[in-house]
Amino acid sequence: MNSLTLKGGRPLKGQVKISGSKNATLPIMAASLMSSGEVILSGVPELEDINVMSDALRILGAKVKREADILIIDSANVSAVEIPEHISRKMRASNLVMGALLGRFKHARVAYPGGCAIGIRPMDLHLKGFRNLGYELIEEYGFMEGNGHSTIGKEILLDFPSVGATENIIMAAALTPGVTIIRNAAREPEIVDMQNFLNRMGAKIRGAGLDTICIEGVDRLGGVEHGVIPDRIEAGTFMVAAAISRGDIYIENIVLEHILPLIAKLKEMGLEILLCSSGIRVVGNNNNYRPADIKTMPYPGFPTDMQAQMMALLSTVRGTSIVVETIFENRFMHVQELRRMGADIKTEGKIAIIKGKNSLEGTNVEATDLRAGAALILAALFADGETRIAKIEHINRGYEKIHQKLLGLGADIIS
Ligand code: EPZ
């Protein structure tokens, strides 16, 4: 079990370069299965989740090679259509291969993805979309099996703008005859990146980034070169690192539009944020931040993936702040750990009430999931004394070289 121990109280200063987006890379890797040619991805972060997806593609028969931040995927010889349970349980995003396999082979068998700390993570919206397209879906023995003998483009209305369901349906529809329209689609930037990738392969998709996406089915998809977008959640996490450590960080390799909700919230709290050509500078060296209220929403609202990190910051800002988590039913696992550090947080269902304090105490805590772990690192940067964070493998799933990046900003890492 890996752990990270760091001593708080030192303002982080300097420059950090954001890596490629985990949540853009994963669906694009799944979509690579639909190509009869070679796919070359650049800006791919070195993360455990990317390794798991690479293993899933190899099990299906694809060749996957990494050269630094380049991933070369050749799916010409893919023939299998089943993802084994141990892969599905390891990472929820492995369910994204289902849409790709149905699109290309009209057949797929994928085990239910493992739930995780933040919620049961059902697949009903994905399956409803596939059924709308004419795929027959059988759910038994923990597996979802789809067959498409007579599929045709249809209009699909999502009950909720699910990111994964939107991505999976786009992939299944891209090689389905006719026109598919997804209404109430998720609008996340990672979906726009996937649309751009698929269109370079020869797909005909329009509207990603809006709530209505139109997909005109084509016969085949070819090879392509594509650079993935920067990770907006990693960027947000380092913005909060500057704020909570009362430091001054220049964050480069960002897409400004993708982090507007974070910029707005931190400015509302009184932080100084300077927009530069290829990055932003977050100046956190004052102590009179204002408390703030946060309600997580689908993009372009405040991202649920930044909720835990912001709660850590709000715990250090005098006054009362309220956080409402509307996306996942169990995404307050970090609260109990922050309370061990002396944070004054009370939860009632999906609402958390934070009474910020001038200090937190370093102690032993445990990462329960990816973003909760990030929140604990942030709280440790502020706390008095040393904090030992156990199970940091959760954090390594989604933050590339986090240790080196923190050291580069002057964090006092003990081990
Ligand atoms: C993606 O997960 C992200 N993961 C998550 O990031 C992110 O938190 C989430 O979108 C919301 O933005 C990747 O992109 C790999 P959803 P996804 O389907 O697609 C419910 C991180 O930290 N739902 O939009 O699984 C679901 O239970 C991760 O990087 C259904 O009810 O999210 C949840 O309450 C965590 N039925 C809500 O919708 C379904 O069929 C949002 O889920 C699908 C989802």
Side-chain angles (χ1 to χ4, degrees):
M1 179 174 74
N2 303 330
S3 68
L4 171 71
T5 303
L6 61 88
K7 192 163 178 295
R10 192 184 287 179
L12 296 196
K13 292 189 188 256
Q15 182 168 321
V16 65
K17 183 173 184 185
I18 300 304
S19 301
S21 163
K22 165 178 83 80
N23 292 351
T25 302
L26 292 170
I28 283 173
M29 287 176 73
S32 301
L33 287 168
M34 303 169 77
S35 165
S36 52
E38 187 177 68
V39 166
I40 300 174
L41 302 178
S42 57
V44 175
E46 288 185 49
L47 298 170
E48 181 52 23
D49 275 11
I50 305 296
N51 298 337
V52 172
M53 184 62 92
S54 298
D55 291 345
L57 300 189
R58 289 187 185 107
I59 286 168
L60 292 165
K63 293 192 188 83
V64 184
K65 197 168 62 179
R66 177 185 274 276
E67 291 166 11
D69 74 335
I70 307 279
L71 213 51
I72 302 163
I73 302 170
D74 181 347
S75 302
N77 297 324
V78 169
S79 54
V81 290
E82 177 166 341
I83 290 284
E85 189 172 355
H86 76 275
I87 291 277
S88 293
R89 281 189 171 282
K90 232 186 209 176
M91 179 186 64
R92 172 179 173 83
S94 51
N95 72 64
L96 291 171
V97 304
M98 188 154 194
L101 293 173
L102 288 176
R104 182 172 172 191
F105 299 105
K106 308 303 172 199
H107 182 205
R109 188 167 189 272
V110 176
Y112 274 109
C116 60
I118 64 176
I120 55 169
R121 316 291 291 274
M123 289 285 294
D124 56 308
L125 300 176
H126 301 238
L127 302 180
K128 189 174 159 188
F130 296 148
R131 287 190 172 107
N132 276 23
L133 293 172
Y135 292 95
E136 289 154 29
L137 267 298
I138 300 165
E139 300 173 68
E140 56 185 10
Y141 310 118
F143 276 79
M144 303 168 287
E145 182 159 5
N147 281 288
H149 303 302
S150 57
T151 59
I152 185 89
K154 282 281 176 47
E155 182 156 332
I156 296 165
L157 175 67
L158 286 178
D159 300 340
F160 177 85
S162 154
V163 173
T166 302
E167 292 166 341
N168 244 338
I169 296 165
I170 286 174
M171 286 188 273
L175 290 172
T176 295
V179 176
T180 297
I181 294 177
I182 306 173
R183 298 196 186 283
N184 195 26
R187 299 171 53 187
E188 274 68 4
E190 292 76 25
I191 298 171
V192 178
D193 204 27
M194 185 178 112
Q195 169 186 274
N196 296 339
F197 170 75
L198 282 165
N199 285 344
R200 284 204 187 131
M201 289 164 75
K204 291 180 181 170
I205 307 166
R206 289 190 319 280
L210 303 173
D211 62 4
T212 303
I213 300 175
C214 178
I215 305 112
E216 187 183 337
V218 295
D219 297 331
R220 66 183 292 281
L221 296 170
V224 69
E225 287 193 26
H226 182 82
V228 299
I229 56 172
D231 194 312
R232 61 191 167 100
I233 304 303
E234 185 193 15
T237 304
F238 277 102
M239 291 165 72
V240 174
I244 202 167
S245 68
R246 277 57 177 179
D248 184 340
I249 300 179
Y250 178 69
I251 300 165
E252 64 168 330
N253 192 34
I254 53 134
V255 175
L256 200 56
E257 183 199 345
H258 297 170
I259 55 173
L260 291 180
L262 297 165
I263 291 173
K265 194 53 70 174
L266 293 178
K267 278 186 170 176
E268 183 187 321
M269 293 176 65
L271 271 105
E272 190 186 354
I273 297 182
L274 309 172
L275 310 185
C276 315
S277 55
S278 69
I280 54 167
R281 184 179 163 202
V282 181
V283 185
N285 50 10
N286 69 14
N287 255 318
N288 51 1
Y289 298 155
R290 295 182 289 274
D293 295 341
I294 286 167
K295 182 175 183 179
T296 64
M297 294 294 281
Y299 191 90
F302 192 89
T304 173
D305 292 349
M306 279 301 303
Q307 179 258 107
Q309 300 92 310
M310 284 301 289
M311 193 182 284
L313 173 61
L314 293 169
S315 300
T316 74
V317 175
R318 290 200 61 77
T320 300
S321 300
I322 295 176
V323 171
V324 184
E325 171 58 55
T326 71
I327 307 293
F328 289 103
E329 69 271 24
N330 189 33
R331 202 168 199 174
F332 282 158
M333 304 285 279
H334 44 284
V335 170
Q336 67 200 20
E337 300 302 311
L338 290 170
R339 286 166 57 89
R340 285 176 197 278
M341 300 177 74
D344 181 350
I345 306 170
K346 289 185 180 58
T347 60
E348 185 67 47
K350 61 182 183 179
I351 297 171
I353 299 165
I354 300 111
K355 291 200 173 83
K357 303 169 78 169
N358 282 334
S359 67
L360 294 178
E361 299 109 35
T363 184
N364 293 327
V365 293
E366 186 173 296
T368 51
D369 59 88
L370 169 56
R371 307 303 175 183
L376 294 174
I377 288 180
L378 295 169
L381 292 170
F382 179 81
D384 299 331
E386 293 184 10
T387 300
R388 179 179 178 277
I389 302 165
K391 298 191 178 177
I392 61 159
E393 56 273 19
H394 286 290
I395 302 169
N396 296 329
R397 284 187 49 205
Y399 289 93
E400 184 183 48
K401 301 188 175 79
I402 183 96
H403 203 112
Q404 296 90 311
K405 290 180 178 178
L406 288 170
L407 279 174
L409 292 168
D412 188 358
I413 295 182
I414 310 296
S415 63

